[in-house]
Amino acid sequence: MSKPNRAAGIMTTAIHAGDPPDASTNASAPPIHMSSTYVTEDLAGFSAHDLTPDSPYVYSRWANPTVAGLEAKIAALQGTEACLATASGMAAASAIFFTFLSAGDHLVVSDVSYAGVAELARETLPRMGIEVSAVNMSDIEAVAAAVRPNTRLIHTETPVNPINRLTDLAEISKLARQAGALLSCDATFASPLGMDTVGLGVDLTMHSITKYIGGHGDAIGGAVAGSAELVAKMRAEAAIHHGGILSPFNAWLIARGASTLPLRMKAHEAGAMAVAEWLEADPRVSRVIYPGLVSHPQAELAQRQMSNMSGMVSFQVGSAADGERIAQQMIERLEVIHYAVSLGHHRSLIFWMGTEGLMETSFKLQGTQLEDYRRYAGDGIFRLSVGLEDAEDLIADLDGALG
């Protein structure tokens, strides 16, 4: 069972994909290959252009057995032909942008994106001669209007960090096909088990594998899953030329976490639903945004597109001043939940994002874009990553912190 794919059961896939018994020792657990170089038995060139799928291991910037095992596991979980593992989620986003965009090309990107992606698209890409249009991806007509003859890539994020707004990937993929553009999606909030991105028409699915795939908050990494052809292009460009490779030790840690991803995602979803329902019934909370709630503005899309609603809950408590006051109370009073950034870990994490911080995750919003944004985020938002603790303990912790 060294190469199960999505035709196998999901738990079987998570445990066995990319993790065959060690060929030299028959060890059941995969080893960590920390070597930077490998003894070769044949003459070989020293260029990425000489690599083929059958090339032996030569140098770990080119390929590494431990990293390759993680890539095989993520590809199997996502249902793609191949995967490129990178040093971080931002390295994964950069791999997409800098492989498939050149000067004179046009990118359509979500007007609310992960802060690093938003800053990269706002500040770096235009400096390199790449045109960028930021669009509310929940507005299909706006996306269609933004597409140009030189559009080469549409980059989405769903659910959107941190406001949990959704993107209809099937509809956006139709627009991408019509334009002859690639469609990429940051699916970190959903995990590989949250959506069938391949079936929905996504060409490249990226994750910060620091989050749900690793699941334990102890290793940073990123990944992009897609066709063998597209991943090979990114490997030559982003990994070998740009050097944003993943450490074998981090790959080993993240693969170990990925083996329990199906079990963890069920628990994350169940815990998040219980906490979201409690928050929605609490008079101290003015708004809860969770895809699993019927009150979510895109609840129908969530039910149609997502197979797991994940563990990310966003909520509001009134004014910005209220949010800052309660955030300070959380810092002082929380005993189970950690007041910290990041998400997708076995521990629950919460963080207050005021208006200024939220704007770092977005572009200059005007008119209907700003109205839609405030419909989700108000004057600030708490982003709660529900971990694997007992839901009643999380609820008691929040109850005491809300004051």
Side-chain angles (χ1 to χ4, degrees):
M1 273 208 83
S2 61
K3 297 181 180 179
N5 53 35
R6 287 302 289 267
I10 191 61
M11 274 305 308
T12 304
T13 297
I15 292 169
H16 290 280
D19 282 346
D22 180 53
S24 60
T25 66
N26 284 329
S28 175
I32 309 174
H33 296 276
M34 293 299 293
S35 182
S36 62
T37 191
Y38 304 82
V39 174
T40 60
E41 298 178 353
D42 300 303
L43 295 176
F46 203 67
S47 168
H49 300 296
D50 297 326
L51 293 178
T52 70
D54 298 321
S55 293
Y57 293 107
V58 176
Y59 187 61
S60 275
R61 178 163 50 84
W62 296 6
N64 172 276
T66 306
V67 177
L70 173 63
E71 291 171 339
K73 188 181 293 291
I74 294 173
L77 288 168
Q78 194 66 68
T80 61
E81 292 179 338
C83 172
L84 172 70
T86 62
S88 67
M90 275 307 302
S94 298
I96 295 171
F97 293 158
F98 295 130
T99 300
F100 299 106
L101 293 172
S102 301
D105 290 343
H106 176 237
L107 164 70
V108 179
V109 64
S110 174
D111 61 359
V112 181
S113 299
Y114 173 69
V117 170
E119 291 166 357
L120 180 68
R122 280 199 314 257
E123 302 165 14
T124 305
L125 296 185
R127 195 178 74 235
M128 302 178 71
I130 297 167
E131 302 170 13
V132 178
S133 295
V135 182
N136 176 355
M137 289 282 174
S138 68
D139 185 342
I140 304 300
E141 293 182 0
V143 178
V147 173
R148 305 174 186 173
N150 61 332
T151 301
R152 298 292 175 263
L153 177 69
I154 299 176
H155 181 72
T156 65
E157 184 174 323
T158 187
V160 169
N161 183 0
I163 61 174
N164 266 325
R165 190 179 71 194
L166 306 182
T167 300
D168 189 331
L169 293 176
E171 290 300 313
I172 299 296
S173 70
K174 293 177 184 176
L175 297 178
R177 297 291 174 273
Q178 293 168 5
L182 291 174
L183 174 62
S184 58
C185 176
D186 183 341
T188 298
F189 261 38
S191 90
L193 306 187
M195 299 178 296
D196 177 11
T197 54
V198 175
L200 292 165
V202 175
D203 297 297
L204 297 165
T205 305
M206 66 155 282
H207 296 272
S208 171
I209 58 178
T210 312
K211 306 336 193 261
Y212 282 115
I213 294 177
H216 291 79
D218 54 10
I220 290 178
V224 187
S227 70
E229 178 184 4
L230 294 178
V231 170
K233 290 180 179 179
M234 288 188 296
R235 191 177 303 281
E237 180 76 22
I240 297 174
H241 291 164
H242 302 164
I245 60 169
L246 183 65
S247 155
F249 184 65
N250 280 21
W252 182 83
L253 285 172
I254 293 168
R256 189 182 192 194
S259 294
T260 61
L261 183 65
L263 290 175
R264 288 188 288 106
M265 292 314 299
K266 289 180 181 178
H268 284 303
E269 181 184 46
M273 193 67 187
V275 171
E277 289 175 340
W278 177 83
L279 285 168
E280 195 165 50
D282 193 296
R284 295 167 294 183
V285 176
S286 55
R287 177 92 187 280
V288 181
I289 310 168
Y290 178 64
L293 293 174
V294 295
S295 59
H296 190 284
Q298 299 163 287
E300 185 277 330
L301 174 60
Q303 291 296 324
R304 173 163 43 91
Q305 180 169 276
M306 299 183 70
S307 51
N308 181 289
M309 300 299 171
S310 189
M312 299 306 302
V313 179
S314 301
F315 65 94
Q316 303 162 11
V317 293
S319 68
D322 293 331
E324 291 176 2
R325 173 180 57 81
I326 291 176
Q328 186 59 46
Q329 289 179 184
M330 288 182 175
I331 292 171
E332 297 168 357
R333 300 179 185 178
L334 287 174
E335 297 179 354
V336 177
I337 302 169
H338 287 190
Y339 189 86
V341 298
S342 201
L343 59 103
H345 303 170
H346 60 304
R347 294 183 180 89
S348 292
L349 309 171
I350 195 167
F351 207 76
W352 161 252
M353 302 183 74
T355 303
E356 183 177 342
L358 283 167
M359 287 304 173
E360 293 177 0
T361 71
S362 63
F363 294 76
K364 187 176 181 181
L365 305 179
Q366 299 177 355
T368 57
Q369 282 182 311
L370 183 59
E371 291 175 9
D372 176 79
Y373 187 78
R374 290 200 176 278
R375 186 162 65 103
Y376 282 86
D379 292 322
I381 200 166
F382 282 97
R383 188 185 71 180
L384 171 61
S385 174
V386 177
L388 303 181
E389 303 94 340
D390 295 294
E392 55 267 30
D393 293 329
L394 298 177
I395 290 169
D397 211 27
L398 289 169
D399 189 30
L402 287 171

